[in-house]
């Protein structure tokens, strides 16, 4: 079973600026993936898959330094999120995927536990080492009680940054 743990991050000014840029790149990649799917479907009746869009992302990163500045895994995760949004729509589990908007969708995800490291500093402070951000401190308030699967970094409307840890607790959900 997966559970979430959310902690407020204490970014330095430099880390906050980088996180803003990473969120902007992630939002842009999501919107480009959505636009590419819609355009391809209108023209050919088929949408490109995750692999094809990741290949296009590689070409885009080679030509655009501001996109290359963000970690590649966070950009690939944006494409995966777009694909999942369309799958949920086609399975009648959600509405039609919308555009990601500045100020409302300020987040990015590190999907692979091999990319980050979490360690305890003191009784109340921990830190996470995140690609291209470095060590980021957060105030620890409750145990993880499992293995961390991914970390989502997000900014709320008040300008505060948060780290949401998806934790595999190892327990199973009881059936009906």
């Amino acid at each position: 079973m997966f559970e979430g743990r959310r902690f407020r991050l204490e970014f330095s000014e430099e880390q906050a600026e980088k996180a803003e840029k990473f969120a902007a790149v992630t939002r842009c990649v999501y919107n480009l993936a959505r636009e590419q799917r819609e355009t391809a479907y209108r023209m050919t009746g088929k949408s490109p898959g995750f692999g094809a869009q990741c290949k296009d992302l590689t070409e885009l990163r080679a030509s655009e330094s501001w996109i290359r500045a963000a970690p590649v895994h966070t950009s690939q995760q944006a494409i995966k999120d777009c694909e999942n949004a369309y799958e949920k729509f086609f399975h009648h589990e959600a509405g039609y995927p919308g555009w990601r908007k500045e100020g409302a969708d300020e987040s990015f995800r590190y999907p692979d536990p091999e990319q980050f490291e979490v360690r305890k500093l003191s009784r109340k402070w921990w830190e996470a080492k995140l690609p291209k951000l470095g060590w980021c401190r957060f105030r620890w308030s409750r145990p993880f009680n499992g293995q961390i699967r991914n970390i989502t970094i997000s900014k709320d409307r008040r300008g505060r940054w948060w780290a949401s840890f998806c934790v595999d607790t190892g327990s199973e959900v009881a059936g009906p």
Side-chain angles (χ1 to χ4, degrees), residues 64-95:
E64 298 293 334
S65 62
W66 65 278
I67 291 181
R68 195 171 44 249
V72 68
H73 291 91
T74 60
S75 299
Q76 289 172 341
Q77 188 62 44
I79 295 170
K80 190 67 165 169
D81 290 345
C82 182
E83 182 177 66
N84 290 341
Y86 276 97
E87 284 180 16
K88 286 182 179 183
F89 170 72
F90 289 125
H91 288 99
H92 307 288
E93 297 171 7

Side-chain angles (χ1 to χ4, degrees), residues 96-159:
Y96 192 76
W99 298 101
R100 291 202 174 164
K101 299 173 185 74
E102 185 175 3
D105 299 300
E106 303 291 335
S107 68
F108 52 96
R109 182 178 307 119
Y110 292 101
D112 184 9
E114 298 294 321
Q115 299 173 335
F116 51 82
E117 182 182 342
V118 179
R119 68 182 182 193
K120 184 176 183 177
L121 293 176
S122 65
R123 188 170 64 91
K124 293 185 178 182
W125 288 97
W126 284 55
E127 62 184 357
K129 185 176 184 182
L130 304 173
K132 296 194 177 184
L133 278 178
W135 288 101
C136 306
R137 289 173 40 131
F138 60 94
R139 187 153 177 132
W140 182 81
S141 57
R142 59 193 177 282
F144 289 113
N145 293 335
Q147 183 178 4
I148 301 169
R149 292 295 185 184
N150 64 58
I151 302 174
T152 301
I153 307 299
S154 60
K155 183 179 178 184
D156 65 16
R157 294 185 188 269
R158 295 175 63 187

Side-chain angles (χ1 to χ4, degrees), residues 17-100:
E17 287 175 16
K18 284 183 178 181
E20 290 273 354
K21 290 177 184 176
F22 295 174
V25 168
T26 302
R27 184 176 57 252
C28 178
V29 168
Y30 177 93
N31 288 337
L32 286 171
R34 183 180 182 268
E35 182 179 2
Q36 184 182 37
R37 284 176 163 267
E38 289 182 357
T39 303
Y41 186 78
R42 275 194 301 262
M43 296 179 82
T44 65
K46 294 182 179 181
S47 294
F50 176 71
Q53 287 189 307
C54 282
K55 185 178 178 183
D56 292 341
L57 174 63
T58 301
E59 294 171 9
L60 184 62
R61 287 176 59 85
S63 64
E64 298 293 334
S65 62
W66 65 278
I67 291 181
R68 195 171 44 249
V72 68
H73 291 91
T74 60
S75 299
Q76 289 172 341
Q77 188 62 44
I79 295 170
K80 190 67 165 169
D81 290 345
C82 182
E83 182 177 66
N84 290 341
Y86 276 97
E87 284 180 16
K88 286 182 179 183
F89 170 72
F90 289 125
H91 288 99
H92 307 288
E93 297 171 7
Y96 192 76
W99 298 101
R100 291 202 174 164

